[in-house]
Amino acid sequence: MKKLFLVLGISVVIAACGGPKPGEAEGGEDTTAAANQTATAATTNADTSATKTGTEPTAAAPAGKGATLIAGSDCGTCHKDHQKIVGPAFEDIAKKYTDADVDKLAKKVIAGGSGSWGDIAMSPHPALSEDDAKEMVKYILTVK
Ligand code: HEC
């Protein structure tokens, strides 16, 4: 009895698969598309991890964080990467300073002030933590 059910079951499966021939062709295409998608996803994942190992997570994270913090603050009102507006272009700040100036510049962002680039003063940012200000400055110094 068990064998009979098994045979019947298999027949049903075969019938289901062998049924609509065009549908089967479509199914085949879908599988290929899905496989392609999977391949793309796999490639993307591989790239991401490659980027991470390539740039060193510790170095990449602060830069990304700084850029995000700047985007969320008012810096863009007066600064652009490659163009002087009210304040100097980040590119020019990066040319003038090195990593050794990060502390000093972070304090300046928080306190505001003028004198380094001219008489126009930067507004103070007292709500910024020193760590966040440092992340921002670290990002600015990477702008080329
Ligand atoms: C109201 C306009 C304004 C805003 C907003 C502003 N800045 Fe500035 N920033 C300036 C000006 C003007 C200077 C040049 C100051 C000087 O000559 O010392 C400057 C200079 C700087 C410097 C170089 C400081 C130095 O001593 O050379 C850094 C770094 C900087 N800004 C970062 C930031 C960051 C980060 C933000 C956002 C949190 C920000 N700025 C927001 C106007 C602004």
Side-chain angles (χ1 to χ4, degrees):
M1 271 308 264
K2 266 190 186 162
K3 256 191 186 167
L4 185 64
F5 276 122
L6 202 69
V7 171
L8 274 174
I10 289 168
S11 314
V12 169
V13 173
I14 291 170
C17 291
K21 285 280 176 196
E24 203 181 309
E26 268 174 35
E29 272 168 22
D30 281 347
T31 315
T32 316
N36 284 344
Q37 272 169 11
T38 314
T40 315
T43 316
T44 314
N45 285 343
D47 280 348
T48 314
S49 57
T51 313
K52 273 181 192 155
T53 37
T55 45
E56 238 181 60
T58 40
K65 197 182 170 197
T68 310
L69 286 167
I70 285 172
S73 186
D74 68 348
C75 322
T77 321
C78 300
H79 294 283
K80 273 203 186 326
D81 280 359
H82 304 293
Q83 193 191 330
K84 178 186 186 295
I85 325 176
V86 180
F90 286 159
E91 186 185 10
D92 294 333
I93 296 176
K95 276 185 198 141
K96 181 168 175 165
Y97 296 104
T98 67
D99 287 348
D101 302 304
V102 168
D103 281 11
K104 182 179 82 183
L105 292 173
K107 288 199 174 84
K108 168 103 171 215
V109 171
I110 293 169
S114 62
S116 303
W117 299 83
D119 294 334
I120 307 168
M122 170 154 61
S123 53
H125 296 86
L128 273 182
S129 74
E130 205 162 302
D131 280 348
D132 282 357
K134 277 187 203 169
E135 295 297 344
M136 290 168 151
V137 170
K138 276 185 207 161
Y139 162 75
I140 291 168
L141 295 185
T142 67
V143 176
K144 287 196 175 72

